[in-house]
Amino acid sequence: MPQRRRGANIVEFALTLPIFMAILLGLIDYGWVFASQSGIDAATMLACREGSMVDAIFKSPITEAEEELNERAAPWCTGGNCTLSVAPRYTVPDRAIECSVQMPFRPLIGFVPLPATLEARSIYRLEWQRQGNL
C-alpha cells in the first residue's frame, strides 16, 4: 500500500508551484508599483516644499524647486523618461508653486501591466508673499 503513494508529493508540488509563483511575482510587481509611486510623490512634495521656502528676492523659488525636483526624482526617472514641471500659481497674497512628475511605468516582471503612467503633483504656498519675481 505505501508504494502506491510514491511520487504524490512531487505531483502536488508541481501542481501548486505555478500558482504560488504567480502570487509571489504579482506581490513583487505590486510592491514595485507602490514603491515607485511613493518615490515620485516624495520627490514632488519635498522639491515643492524646498522651493516654497526660498525668498524670491535672493533666488527664484521656481529655479530652486526645479533643481530639487531633478535631483530627487533622478533615482525613479532613469533614462530621462519623466516629465518634470514646476509652475507658479495664483497671485499675492496666495502665491504658490505647483510641482508635478509624470513617469511611464515599467513593471519589473510584467504581472502588473497597469498603470501605464504614474503621476504626482504637489502645490505649496510660498513662505514669502512679496511682489518680487517668481
Side-chain angles (χ1 to χ4, degrees), residues 94-123:
D94 296 320
R95 222 165 48 159
I97 55 175
E98 177 182 0
C99 304
S100 63
V101 175
Q102 249 187 339
M103 178 180 89
F105 178 70
R106 289 182 307 221
L108 286 177
I109 301 164
F111 274 84
V112 182
L114 296 174
T117 60
L118 298 177
E119 298 178 13
R121 187 175 71 139
S122 186
I123 299 173

Side-chain angles (χ1 to χ4, degrees), residues 56-119:
I57 290 176
F58 301 109
K59 188 173 182 181
S60 168
I62 300 290
T63 304
E64 181 68 25
E66 284 174 344
E67 291 171 2
E68 194 71 22
L69 188 58
N70 284 329
E71 182 181 323
R72 291 189 181 272
W76 303 102
C77 298
T78 56
N81 59 354
C82 287
T83 304
L84 310 173
S85 69
V86 178
R89 295 197 34 142
Y90 316 125
T91 57
V92 174
D94 296 320
R95 222 165 48 159
I97 55 175
E98 177 182 0
C99 304
S100 63
V101 175
Q102 249 187 339
M103 178 180 89
F105 178 70
R106 289 182 307 221
L108 286 177
I109 301 164
F111 274 84
V112 182
L114 296 174
T117 60
L118 298 177
E119 298 178 13

